[in-house]
Amino acid sequence: MKTNNLYWDTNNGDELFRRKEGVDSKRATEEDVLINLGFRDPFSREIKVGKMPMNEALDVVLEYGELYTIPKGYHSGLGTVRTQELSLGQLTPGTAIDEDIAENKVAWVNGIRVVGKLKINKNNMEGTATENDIVVGKDAWVNGKHIYGKMPVILREDTVLYAGDFYKIPRGYHGGEAIVHAADLAIQTPATAGPQDIVAGKSAWVKGKLIVGELEPLSVTLSVATASISDIRKSKTAFIANGLVTGTMNEYLNRPQTLLTAGQTFDIPVGYHDGMWRIKADSLYNQTQASATSADIRKNKTAWVNGALVYGEMEQEISPNSPGTAEEKDLKKGKIAWSNGVKLIGTNEYDSISYAFNENNSDDPSSPIVCIMPTHRWNSINTLIIEFFDVNDPNRRVQKVVYSDVVSGSSRIKGTHSVVTTLGSPRVVVTNFDPNYYIEVSIYGYDVVDFSEENEEVR
């Protein structure tokens, strides 16, 4: 090796100040850092103060059709936007746990937010290397395949470059020992830096001369920065006390509008929002589709139809179209009902009214079974039986569930089924959650609400 070769040290810190200034889309601005937190501009080294708004954690309840726009800025993740009525658990039945969902992916199961732990990449040995990315004589596994390296190994070969010459580094793996040096230092080191442009204690060659730096060290310059990587958007970079870092703050940009139905709640996620994400509660019109008019609803009664409150105008003193099989003995004593156009006055001394219902959903196991009770004013069902049958063997009953005294307005939700009733409604809805079975529902006997007024009609 020639003795007139020149070698010098450098480090990554020096390189920070040799970069050409320019516009970097990843450079953090005041809008990318939380309000009142300081940081230093990576090129001008000017201390700046963040302007990103800090939003309070609000609990926003949306009415039907109401729209809420998440404000621009940082959110702590504690704020919520929710609607009313139905619970999320009723809308998201499922059986998955965190080990069934890919790592860091999120799903909702039975109203609970589940973050996945299944390591897909590790299980699949995912990778991007090819045989040309691995040194010849070595092998590796990538995406489940055993591949052998074809990258050439370049032996050491020192090269001397004279002014105007160039050296093309051959493709392949280099051991890091080959030397390429310039013949003329003055020609090889054209630059404009002076002592004030170089960090104190460091030196550089400028036009063939050794310059000793007088600039304040980078560690001192950055020591006053207060931001952390979580205070900076993950798509942006900034210089802080630790040097050049890339932010980790989650970003929510150009998000599509989120629609909430009755009972749903939306948690505003932690991170930066561009102020364009809109959360909208579904309109009452979409959630109350129906066909009744005021003429179909009894006078002094109200109901919601297609998003509008309808006041009943029906005046019904007789019931000519009232097919039925009830007799006076089937009605509680003193109560009135219509059957086949005949007004009946009850003579039954007991609370229970004889009634039987039976239906199955073998044609569509996922379809709920709906029983319409004979009256809106039923108080409780004496006995409700749910039988489960194997869809592959319809004659094999696998389970029988018996409920007694099912009260109007109560709901019973189990892992395999639910029984839902609404106070003042004749509907009794039984839903099966297991697609491997169909159900058969039987209802026997009921009693009605005991009104104190005499001769109150049961309708």
Side-chain angles (χ1 to χ4, degrees):
M1 181 181 298
K2 295 184 179 180
T3 58
N4 61 348
N5 290 345
L6 176 62
Y7 306 91
W8 68 90
D9 293 330
T10 185
N11 56 42
N12 292 335
D14 296 333
E15 296 301 317
L16 295 175
F17 298 97
R18 296 179 183 177
R19 302 175 182 172
K20 293 183 179 179
E21 294 188 1
V23 178
D24 187 351
S25 62
K26 293 186 177 181
R27 187 178 67 181
T29 66
E30 291 91 334
E31 302 299 329
D32 301 319
V33 181
L34 284 176
I35 189 169
N36 296 329
L37 293 182
F39 69 100
R40 187 174 293 278
D41 187 275
F43 294 110
S44 67
R45 302 186 186 87
E46 175 187 1
I47 296 178
K48 296 182 177 180
V49 179
K51 295 181 179 180
M52 183 190 300
M54 172 73 78
N55 292 286
E56 295 182 1
L58 300 178
D59 182 14
V60 180
V61 180
L62 298 183
E63 298 298 336
Y64 297 110
E66 187 176 357
L67 178 69
Y68 175 72
T69 300
I70 299 175
K72 179 178 181 180
Y74 176 83
H75 294 259
S76 66
L78 300 178
T80 59
V81 178
R82 56 192 174 88
T83 57
Q84 302 176 357
E85 297 182 9
L86 294 179
S87 68
L88 185 59
Q90 293 175 320
L91 300 176
T92 59
T95 59
I97 62 175
D98 52 5
E99 296 295 340
D100 302 320
I101 301 171
E103 185 178 24
N104 294 328
K105 298 299 182 179
V106 178
W108 287 89
V109 181
N110 297 320
I112 299 175
R113 183 175 182 268
V114 180
V115 180
K117 294 183 179 180
L118 182 62
K119 297 184 180 297
I120 299 298
N121 293 346
K122 182 177 179 180
N123 290 344
N124 296 339
M125 293 190 296
E126 293 183 2
T128 59
T130 66
E131 57 188 9
N132 293 321
D133 300 320
I134 302 172
V135 174
V136 65
K138 302 294 181 179
D139 60 282
W141 289 85
V142 179
N143 297 326
K145 294 183 178 180
H146 195 186
I147 61 175
Y148 297 87
K150 292 185 178 181
M151 182 190 300
V153 176
I154 310 301
L155 300 178
R156 176 175 177 173
E157 182 178 356
D158 295 342
T159 303
V160 177
L161 296 181
Y162 294 93
D165 288 347
F166 68 92
Y167 173 74
K168 183 178 181 181
I169 300 175
R171 185 180 69 86
Y173 174 79
H174 296 257
E177 297 177 347
I179 298 174
V180 178
H181 66 90
D184 189 335
L185 182 60
I187 295 176
Q188 300 299 317
T189 58
T192 59
Q196 294 298 328
D197 302 316
I198 302 172
V199 175
K202 302 295 180 179
S203 60
W205 288 88
V206 178
K207 295 182 179 179
K209 295 182 180 181
L210 181 63
I211 304 297
V212 179
E214 298 175 357
L215 181 65
E216 182 180 74
L218 177 62
S219 59
V220 176
T221 302
L222 300 178
S223 63
V224 296
T226 59
S228 66
I229 57 175
S230 62
D231 300 320
I232 304 169
R233 293 169 57 183
K234 68 179 181 181
S235 62
K236 304 295 182 179
T237 60
F239 284 95
I240 60 175
N242 295 331
L244 179 63
V245 297
T246 300
T248 61
M249 182 189 297
N250 288 333
E251 296 180 331
Y252 301 91
L253 311 175
N254 300 319
R255 303 288 293 187
Q257 178 172 282
T258 298
L259 188 67
L260 299 184
T261 57
Q264 282 188 309
T265 297
F266 177 80
D267 295 326
I268 301 174
V270 177
Y272 173 78
H273 296 254
D274 61 3
M276 301 299 293
W277 194 356
R278 301 197 304 173
I279 311 301
K280 182 180 180 181
D282 198 5
S283 68
L284 191 57
Y285 174 83
N286 291 337
Q287 299 185 69
T288 57
Q289 292 290 303
S291 59
T293 65
S294 58
D296 301 317
I297 303 170
R298 295 184 62 186
K299 191 172 183 178
N300 298 325
K301 302 297 181 179
T302 60
W304 287 88
V305 178
N306 298 327
L309 182 62
V310 179
Y311 293 85
E313 298 177 355
M314 180 194 301
E315 295 187 3
Q316 189 173 11
E317 299 297 331
I318 62 173
S319 301
N321 298 318
S322 55
T325 59
E327 300 177 0
E328 285 86 352
K329 66 181 180 179
D330 298 321
L331 301 177
K332 189 174 181 181
K333 186 175 181 180
K335 300 301 180 178
I336 299 173
W338 292 87
S339 178
N340 295 318
V342 178
K343 184 177 183 179
L344 305 177
I345 299 177
T347 61
N348 194 328
E349 296 287 345
Y350 303 97
D351 293 334
S352 178
I353 298 175
S354 176
Y355 174 75
F357 169 87
N358 179 266
E359 185 174 329
N360 67 63
N361 63 355
S362 59
D363 292 336
D364 183 4
S366 65
S367 175
I369 294 179
V370 181
C371 170
I372 304 299
M373 298 294 291
T375 174
H376 286 261
R377 297 183 179 178
W378 69 276
N379 180 56
S380 67
I381 294 172
N382 294 351
T383 304
L384 188 150
I385 301 174
I386 306 174
E387 297 176 277
F388 294 79
F389 295 86
D390 192 334
V391 295
N392 296 318
D393 186 3
N395 294 321
R396 187 172 75 90
R397 187 180 71 184
V398 297
Q399 186 181 10
K400 180 179 180 180
V401 179
V402 180
Y403 291 110
S404 299
D405 296 327
V406 179
V407 179
S408 177
S410 66
S411 297
R412 307 187 184 197
I413 301 175
K414 305 293 184 181
T416 58
H417 66 279
S418 68
V419 179
V420 179
T421 67
T422 303
L423 186 63
S425 170
R427 290 166 58 89
V428 178
V429 182
V430 181
T431 304
N432 172 33
F433 298 150
D434 194 333
N436 296 314
Y437 307 107
Y438 75 87
I439 61 174
E440 181 172 340
V441 177
S442 301
I443 295 176
Y444 301 102
Y446 68 95
D447 61 15
V448 296
V449 178
D450 187 13
F451 292 90
S452 59
E453 294 82 7
E454 293 185 359
N455 296 326
E456 177 70 13
E457 293 186 1
V458 180
R459 301 187 181 182

